[in-house]
Amino acid sequence: MSSFIYPLAHCIAGVDEVGRGPLVGAVVTAAVILDPEQPIQGLADSKKLTEKRRLALYDEIKEKALCWSLGRAEPEEIDQLNILHATMLAMQRAVAGLSVRPDMVLIDGNRCPALPMAAQSVVKGDSLVAEISAASILAKVTRDQEMAELDTLFPEYGFAKHKGYPTPYHLEKLALLGATPFHRRSFAPVRRVTDTTPVAGK
C-alpha cells in the first residue's frame, strides 16, 4: 500500500469521513478494523476508484473486515456545532460503534477527535493506510446512496449527480427553488437563499 510506518498496536482501526464540503445532507464517517487473515486487494482512496470498483470493495469490506461501523452528524448538528466539530462527533460515533475495541485509531487528515484510546492523524491517510482506505470507501458509498435517495425526493436539484457539492448547477437550483429541509443552513450559499426565499418541501 505505501511506505507508511504503522504504530505498534495490537488492533488498529482506520477512520475517514465523507461530506464536509457539500451543502446538503449528513457528514458520514466510517471506522474499520481489517482482518489480517482475510486481506482485501485494491484498497485505495475512494475518490480514486471507479464507482463499479468502489461498490465491489464496499461489499468485500463489509464481508471480510473484522468489524466496521458508520457514524454521522446530521445537518442540524452541523449547523449547531460547525462542520469541523460535527465531523469529530461523527468520527467518535463510528469508533464507538465498533464491536471490537481497537487500541489504536488512525484518522485521515490532520486532526483527531477525543477518543478513549490512542489515536494518530495521518495526512493523506486514505492513500497510505489500508484501514483508512476501507473506511473512506464505506463512508463514500453510504453517503452517495443517501444522495441518490434524496434525489428521488427532490429530483429537480440533481443530488445524484453532484452529491450535494456546490456545483454551478446546484447553486443555480438553490437560488431558483430555495433550500430543502436537508440543506445546511449555516453554509453561506444556503444562508443567502434562506434569508430571502421559502423552503422547498415545506
Side-chain angles (χ1 to χ4, degrees), residues 25 53 62 73 78 95 116 119 139 172 176 190-191:
R53 185 75 188 114
K62 294 212 303 190
I78 294 167
V95 173
E172 182 190 325
L176 195 65
V190 183
R191 199 167 59 237

Side-chain angles (χ1 to χ4, degrees), residues 21-83:
L23 306 177
V24 71
V27 59
V28 177
T29 56
V32 178
I33 300 174
L34 294 174
D35 183 352
E37 303 298 314
Q38 297 194 82
I40 299 169
Q41 300 301 318
L43 289 172
D45 173 4
S46 62
K47 297 184 289 296
K48 294 176 181 163
L49 297 166
T50 64
E51 187 177 8
K52 185 180 176 185
R53 185 75 188 114
R54 209 163 37 232
L55 289 169
L57 283 166
Y58 172 83
D59 290 335
E60 193 178 352
I61 292 160
K62 294 212 303 190
E63 185 188 319
K64 290 184 176 177
L66 207 55
C67 64
W68 57 273
S69 168
L70 294 168
R72 57 194 296 113
E74 301 300 339
E76 303 78 36
E77 293 176 305
I78 294 167
D79 291 339
Q80 199 181 343
L81 298 170
N82 80 36
I83 187 61

Side-chain angles (χ1 to χ4, degrees), residues 18 26-27 35 56 59 91-92 99 117 153 155 157 201:
V18 171
V27 59
D35 183 352
D59 290 335
M91 287 180 169
Q92 289 168 333
S99 58
M117 69 284 291
L153 291 175
Y157 287 84

Side-chain angles (χ1 to χ4, degrees), residues 161-173:
K161 195 178 287 181
H162 55 64
K163 310 294 190 282
Y165 283 90
T167 62
Y169 182 88
H170 187 186
L171 294 173
E172 182 190 325
K173 294 298 176 185

Side-chain angles (χ1 to χ4, degrees), residues 6-198:
Y6 276 80
L8 286 173
H10 170 66
C11 181
I12 291 175
V15 175
D16 201 4
E17 55 72 27
V18 171
R20 281 178 69 157
L23 306 177
V24 71
V27 59
V28 177
T29 56
V32 178
I33 300 174
L34 294 174
D35 183 352
E37 303 298 314
Q38 297 194 82
I40 299 169
Q41 300 301 318
L43 289 172
D45 173 4
S46 62
K47 297 184 289 296
K48 294 176 181 163
L49 297 166
T50 64
E51 187 177 8
K52 185 180 176 185
R53 185 75 188 114
R54 209 163 37 232
L55 289 169
L57 283 166
Y58 172 83
D59 290 335
E60 193 178 352
I61 292 160
K62 294 212 303 190
E63 185 188 319
K64 290 184 176 177
L66 207 55
C67 64
W68 57 273
S69 168
L70 294 168
R72 57 194 296 113
E74 301 300 339
E76 303 78 36
E77 293 176 305
I78 294 167
D79 291 339
Q80 199 181 343
L81 298 170
N82 80 36
I83 187 61
L84 174 64
H85 289 103
T87 301
M88 295 295 125
L89 176 63
M91 287 180 169
Q92 289 168 333
R93 288 170 173 165
V95 173
L98 290 168
S99 58
V100 175
R101 183 186 163 108
D103 55 358
M104 169 61 77
V105 179
L106 298 176
I107 292 168
D108 185 56
N110 57 7
R111 289 172 187 262
C112 291
L115 293 169
M117 69 284 291
Q120 179 183 325
S121 61
V122 185
V123 174
K124 295 193 167 45
D126 46 11
S127 300
L128 298 171
V129 179
E131 290 84 354
I132 296 177
S133 297
S136 82
I137 291 163
L138 292 193
K140 178 154 177 59
V141 171
T142 300
R143 193 177 191 286
D144 284 358
Q145 287 170 346
E146 290 179 9
M147 286 295 106
E149 286 163 21
L150 201 59
D151 192 70
T152 62
L153 291 175
F154 300 95
E156 61 278 15
Y157 287 84
F159 292 132
K161 195 178 287 181
H162 55 64
K163 310 294 190 282
Y165 283 90
T167 62
Y169 182 88
H170 187 186
L171 294 173
E172 182 190 325
K173 294 298 176 185
L174 194 57
L176 195 65
L177 304 165
T180 71
F182 301 94
H183 274 92
R184 301 170 181 178
R185 296 290 183 276
S186 57
F187 281 41
V190 183
R191 199 167 59 237
R192 276 198 294 275
V193 302
T194 50
D195 286 345
T196 55
T197 57

